[in-house]
C-alpha cells in the first residue's frame, strides 16, 4: 500500500481492476485506493502475472502492507507472506510493499547486495510522494538539508513543485541525511528515491543498486550537462573563413553567427574589427559596430541627394535584431494544458449569455457591508446566488461519468483564481448553506493561500460547478472551458454603466453579463436557460438570498 499523501496512514481498496492470473504491464491500472484526500489510481510500475491479492474491496490497509504480488506465472510467493525465518535466509528480507514483492526475482539475481534491505540497515528510504491525484512527477524546488545533517521526523526536508502547487516533503524519520538522489531543479517520478535517512556512516550503496530509479534523475541531469557542454564547445569551435581585401567579405575571418548577424543588418565585415584570436570577428563585434558617416550605404546617400527640385524624404537607417526567450513549462502549466485540452475536445461545449440589472445588488451590497464582519464582494454575491439556483436546477449541478450521469445533491462551488504559474480552483463547499460573510471570508483565505502556494489537494478537489470572474479586470463578457468533471461553468463579466430602458424612459443602468458554458452531454439548452433565469431573478432581487 503506497503512501499517497503526506498525512495518509492507511488506504481503502475502493475497486480492483485486475484479478489473480491477469497479465499486468507497467503503467496498468491495478486498483483504486481511497485515501484521506481523495480516491486515487494505483498503477503498476512492473510487469508480470498477478499472483496474489490480499485485501478485498472496501477493506482498509495500513501503508507499506502487502496488497498484491506480481511475478512469473506459477512462482511460489508464500514465503513473502509468511515472513518465515528460514525463508528469510534464502530470500531477500525486504519491506512488505507491493513494489518489493514484484521485484523479488530480479533482486535475488543481483548478488549479495540484494540481501540488504532498508530495515537491515536501520534506514528509511524517502520516495517522491503522490501529492495530488493528477501528479506523475515532482520537481525538487529546494533542499532544506544537505547530506550529513541531522534530521527529525517532523522536518520538512525539501520543497517539491507539483502540477498544482509547491508543497513540503516531510521526512517521517530520524537520523542523518545519508543520500540525496535528485538535485534541486530536477524532476523525479512518483515513488522514485529522493533521499535516504539513517545512522551516520551507513553505506547505502546496496539500497541504491536495488532501486536504480533513484539514480535515474541524477544520470539524466549529468547527461543534460554533458550535452550542454558539447553544445558550448561546438559553438566556440565554429569554423572561420580566410580574409581577403576589397568589398567582398566572404573570406573575412568571422564566426558563422557573426556573419549571419552582419548579413541581416547589412554590415560589411571588411569594416568590422575583430576582437578574437587572429582578428577573428565574433558576435559582440558585429553587435557593437557603429558605421561612420563615410560608411552609410550608397543607396541612402543617393536618396539624400535631390535629383530634381522636388523635396525628397530621407529615412535614417534602422538596425534591428530578432530575439526571444524561452521558459520551461511548470508542472502546474502542464496539468492545465492537459486537463483543459481534454475538457474542450471531449465535452461538447455550448454557451448561453444573459444580462443582469445590478442596481438592486449594488444597493444591497452597500447595506450589507455596513454590518458584515468582512467586506462582501459582488463575486461573493454571485457565488451565493449560483449555489441557491443550483439547488433548484440539479441537472446543471451534474457531471458526465461515461455510462451514467451523476446528479449532485450537494453544492460545491469552485472559484477560479489566477496565480503566478497558472490557474487554481479552490472549492467553497456546501455554499448554498453558508452566509455571504462566510463565503467572503473563505474566498479571501483561499486567495491568500493560492498566492503563497499553500493550497492543499483537499482545497481544490470535489467541485460540482465553477465560477470564473474576469469582471474585476474590466472584461465585459467571455467564455470559459468547463472545469472537468463539472457539467457547467459560469463566466462573470464587469458591471457596465450603460443606457437602459425602464418604464418607457432611457435611464442610466448597471448591467452585468453572465455566460454559462454547458457540457451538452448533461445540460440541454432549455435547462441552461432556465438556470440563468433563476440566477437573474436572485441577483436582481438579492433580498431573496437572505430569506
Amino acid at each position: 500500500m503506497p503512501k499517497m499523501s503526506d498525512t495518509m496512514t492507511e488506504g481503502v481498496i475502493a475497486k480492483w481492476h485486475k484479478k489473480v492470473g491477469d497479465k499486468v504491464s507497467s503503467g496498468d491500472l491495478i486498483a483504486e485506493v481511497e485515501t484521506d484526500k481523495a480516491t486515487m489510481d494505483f498503477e503498476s510500475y512492473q510487469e508480470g502475472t498477478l499472483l496474489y491479492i490480499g485485501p478485498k474491496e472496501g477493506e482498509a490497509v495500513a501503508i507499506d502492507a502487502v496488497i498484491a504480488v506480481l511475478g512469473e506465472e506459477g512462482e511460489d510467493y508464500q514465503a513473502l507472506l509468511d515472513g518465515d525465518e528460514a525463508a528469510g535466509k534464502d530470500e531477500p528480507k525486504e519491506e512488505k510493499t507491493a513494489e518489493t514483492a514484484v521485484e523479488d526475482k530480479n533482486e535475488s539475481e543481483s548478488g549479495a547486495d540484494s540481501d540488504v534491505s532498508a530495515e537491515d540497515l536501520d534506514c528509511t528510504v524517502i520516495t517522491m510522494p503522490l501529492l495530488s491525484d493528477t501528479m506523475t512527477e515532482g520537481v525538487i524546488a529546494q533542499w532544506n538539508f544537505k547530506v550529513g545533517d541531522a534530521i527529525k521526523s517532523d522536518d520538512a526536508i525539501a520543497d517539491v513543485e507539483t502540477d498544482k502547487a509547491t508543497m513540503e516533503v516531510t521526512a517521517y524519520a530520524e537520523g542523518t541525511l545519508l543520500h540525496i538522489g535528485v538535485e534541486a531543479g530536477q524532476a523525479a517520478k512518483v515513488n522514485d528515491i529522493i533521499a535516504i535517512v539513517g545512522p551516520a556512516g551507513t553505506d547505502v550503496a546496496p539500497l541504491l543498486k536495488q532501486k536504480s530509479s533513484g539514480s535515474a534523475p541524477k544520470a539524466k541531469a549529468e547527461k543534460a550537462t554533458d550535452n550542454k557542454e558539447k553544445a558550448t564547445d561546438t559553438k566556440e569551435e565554429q569554423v572561420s573563413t580566410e580574409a581577403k581585401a576589397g568589398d567582398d567579405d566572404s573570406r573575412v575571418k568571422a564566426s558563422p553567427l557573426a556573419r549571419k548577424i552582419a548579413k541581416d543588418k547589412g554590415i560589411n565585415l571588411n569594416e568590422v574589427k575583430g576582437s578574437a584570436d587572429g582578428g577573428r570577428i565574433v558576435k559582440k563585434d558585429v553587435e557593437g559596430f557603429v558605421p561612420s558617416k563615410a560608411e552609410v550605404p550608397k543607396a541612402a546617400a543617393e536618396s539624400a541627394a535631390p535629383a530634381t527640385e522636388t523635396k525628397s524624404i530621407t529615412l535614417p537607417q534602422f538596425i534591428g535584431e530578432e530575439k526571444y526567450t524561452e521558459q520551461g513549462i511548470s508542472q502546474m502549466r502542464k496539468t492545465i494544458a492537459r486537463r483543459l485540452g481534454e475538457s474542450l475536445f471531449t465535452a461538447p461545449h455550448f454557451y448561453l449569455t444573459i444580462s443582469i440589472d445590478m442596481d438592486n445588488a449594488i444597493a444591497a451590497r452597500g447595506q450589507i457591508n455596513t454590518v458584515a464582519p468582512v467586506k462582501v464582494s459582488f463575486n461573493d454575491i454571485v457565488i451565493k446566488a449560483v449555489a441557491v439556483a443550483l439547488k433548484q436546477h440539479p441537472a446543471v449541478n451534474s457531471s458526465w461519468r461515461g455510462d451514467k450521469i451523476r446528479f449532485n445533491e450537494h453544492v460545491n462551488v469552485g472559484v477560479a483564481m489566477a496565480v503566478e504559474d497558472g490557474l487554481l480552483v479552490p472549492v467553497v463547499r456546501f455554499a448554498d448553506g453558508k452566509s455571504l460573510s462566510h463565503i467572503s471570508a473563505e474566498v479571501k483565505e483561499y486567495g491568500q493561500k493560492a498566492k503563497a502556494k499553500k493550497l492543499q489537494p483537499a482545497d481544490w478537489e470535489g467541485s460540482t460547478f465553477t465560477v470564473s470572474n474576469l469582471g474585476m479586470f474590466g472584461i465585459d463578457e467571455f467564455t470559459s472551458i468547463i472545469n472537468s468533471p463539472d457539467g457547467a461553468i459560469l463566466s462573470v463579466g464587469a458591471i457596465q454603466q450603460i443606457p437602459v430602458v425602464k418604464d418607457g424612459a432611457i435611464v442610466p443602468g448597471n448591467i452585468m453579463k453572465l455566460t454559462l458554458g454547458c457540457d451538452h452531454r448533461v445540460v440541454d439548452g432549455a435547462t441552461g436557460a432556465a438556470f440563468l433565469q433563476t440566477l437573474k431573478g436572485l441577483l436582481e432581487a438579492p433580498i431573496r438570498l437572505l430569506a
Side-chain angles (χ1 to χ4, degrees):
M1 174 62 68
K3 188 180 179 70
M4 292 180 165
S5 77
D6 53 349
T7 58
M8 175 181 172
T9 58
E10 66 177 14
V12 175
I13 301 295
K15 182 179 181 181
W16 285 105
H17 288 269
K18 299 288 184 180
K19 61 182 183 296
V20 173
D22 286 353
K23 298 293 185 182
V24 177
S25 300
S26 177
D28 280 356
L29 177 62
I30 294 182
E32 293 177 17
V33 178
E34 181 180 352
T35 73
D36 57 339
K37 300 290 189 183
T39 299
M40 303 182 183
D41 292 340
F42 176 50
E43 298 178 353
S44 172
Y45 295 97
Q46 293 85 24
E47 296 184 356
T49 300
L50 187 56
L51 304 175
Y52 167 82
I53 286 179
K56 299 178 180 179
E57 292 182 356
E59 290 184 1
V61 185
I63 60 170
D64 292 339
V66 174
I67 59 173
V69 178
L70 283 177
E72 293 186 351
E73 188 172 359
E75 186 177 5
D76 183 14
Y77 59 87
Q78 194 60 42
L80 291 172
L81 304 179
D82 294 342
D84 185 78
E85 184 175 337
K89 296 178 182 178
D90 299 327
E91 299 288 335
K93 182 181 178 183
E94 303 207 82
E95 295 178 355
K96 288 190 175 182
T97 63
E99 184 174 350
T100 54
V102 171
E103 294 178 346
D104 176 65
K105 183 177 182 299
N106 292 334
E107 292 181 353
S108 65
E109 297 174 353
S110 63
D113 286 339
S114 65
D115 294 329
V116 180
S117 69
E119 291 179 349
D120 294 334
L121 299 178
D122 195 22
C123 293
T124 299
V125 175
I126 301 174
T127 59
M128 176 63 71
L130 185 68
L131 298 174
S132 78
D133 56 340
T134 57
M135 175 181 172
T136 58
E137 66 178 11
V139 175
I140 301 294
Q142 70 173 24
W143 285 103
N144 300 324
F145 295 88
K146 61 182 182 295
V147 173
D149 287 351
I151 303 294
K152 296 181 180 179
S153 62
D154 58 349
D155 282 341
I157 62 170
D159 293 344
V160 174
E161 179 189 348
T162 73
D163 54 352
K164 302 288 188 180
T166 300
M167 303 182 182
E168 296 178 343
V169 174
T170 305
Y172 298 112
E174 294 192 1
T176 301
L177 184 57
L178 303 174
H179 171 75
I180 287 179
V182 184
E183 298 297 328
Q186 297 295 322
K189 294 187 178 301
V190 172
N191 292 335
D192 279 358
I193 293 178
I194 59 174
I196 298 178
V197 176
T202 303
D203 182 11
V204 298
L207 298 178
L208 299 178
K209 289 181 180 178
Q210 296 176 36
K211 299 284 188 177
S212 60
S213 61
S215 60
K218 190 172 183 179
K220 184 178 180 181
E222 291 173 354
K223 183 177 180 181
T225 302
D226 292 342
N227 292 340
K228 185 176 180 181
E229 291 175 353
K230 290 178 182 178
T232 303
D233 293 341
T234 303
K235 185 176 179 181
E236 292 176 350
E237 295 171 3
Q238 292 167 330
V239 179
S240 61
T241 58
E242 301 277 342
K244 87 169 191 177
D247 292 337
D248 183 8
D249 63 2
S250 62
R251 301 188 63 187
V252 174
K253 293 172 66 177
S255 71
L257 180 59
R259 189 174 297 281
K260 181 180 183 303
I261 296 174
K263 181 179 178 181
D264 293 341
K265 294 185 175 184
I267 297 175
N268 190 326
L269 291 177
N270 287 307
E271 309 297 337
V272 181
K273 183 177 181 181
S275 61
D277 292 342
R280 180 168 170 264
I281 299 171
V282 293
K283 175 184 176 182
K284 67 177 182 179
D285 300 326
V286 179
E287 291 181 336
F289 174 70
V290 179
S292 63
K293 292 182 179 179
E295 295 163 355
V296 176
K298 184 177 180 181
E302 291 176 352
S303 65
T308 64
E309 296 296 328
T310 305
K311 182 183 290 186
S312 62
I313 300 175
T314 302
L315 296 177
Q317 183 183 17
F318 181 81
I319 299 175
E321 179 182 0
E322 295 182 2
K323 61 180 181 179
Y324 59 87
T325 60
E326 292 183 344
Q327 183 176 357
I329 301 174
S330 67
Q331 298 297 310
M332 181 183 295
R333 181 54 62 184
K334 287 180 183 178
T335 300
I336 290 173
R338 176 176 58 82
R339 287 176 62 87
L340 293 185
E342 290 173 355
S343 175
L344 182 61
F345 298 115
T346 301
H349 287 53
F350 75 91
Y351 297 95
L352 303 170
T353 301
I354 195 169
S355 296
I356 310 294
D357 184 346
M358 293 295 286
D359 285 349
N360 291 335
I362 293 172
R365 176 175 177 261
Q367 295 175 355
I368 291 170
N369 283 334
T370 60
V371 296
V374 293
K375 187 176 180 180
V376 174
S377 68
F378 289 113
N379 196 53
D380 300 329
I381 296 174
V382 170
I383 292 172
K384 176 66 175 180
V386 162
V388 173
L390 287 174
K391 293 295 287 186
Q392 300 179 39
H393 300 273
V396 183
N397 196 38
S398 61
S399 60
W400 179 261
R401 296 287 171 169
D403 58 348
K404 55 183 175 291
I405 297 175
R406 175 178 295 178
F407 295 93
N408 298 293
E409 297 180 10
H410 59 285
V411 177
N412 290 347
V413 180
V415 184
M417 292 184 177
V419 294
E420 181 180 354
D421 297 328
L423 183 72
L424 290 175
V425 187
V427 180
V428 179
R429 302 180 188 280
F430 314 112
D432 57 306
K434 294 179 178 178
S435 67
L436 287 169
S437 296
H438 193 156
I439 292 173
S440 177
E442 197 167 326
V443 172
K444 286 181 173 62
E445 181 182 1
Y446 279 145
Q448 293 171 356
K449 291 171 69 175
K451 290 181 180 179
K453 296 184 177 181
K454 296 297 183 182
L455 285 173
Q456 298 300 311
D459 295 331
W460 62 67
E461 295 168 350
S463 68
T464 61
F465 186 93
T466 304
V467 172
S468 179
N469 190 341
L470 293 180
M472 60 191 73
F473 297 103
I475 302 301
D476 297 338
E477 62 178 304
F478 64 103
T479 60
S480 302
I481 299 175
I482 296 170
N483 181 31
S484 181
D486 297 354
I489 186 170
L490 186 70
S491 305
V492 183
I495 298 175
Q496 300 176 278
Q497 287 190 326
I498 59 175
V500 297
V501 178
K502 289 185 178 181
D503 299 327
I506 299 177
V507 296
N510 294 282
I511 302 300
M512 178 176 71
K513 290 188 177 181
L514 302 179
T515 300
L516 182 68
C518 305
D519 180 348
H520 217 325
R521 295 174 299 180
V522 295
V523 180
D524 294 328
T527 305
F531 168 79
L532 286 178
Q533 285 294 334
T534 300
L535 184 59
K536 176 182 176 72
L538 291 169
L539 290 174
E540 292 186 346
I543 191 67
R544 296 166 58 188
L545 297 175
L546 307 177

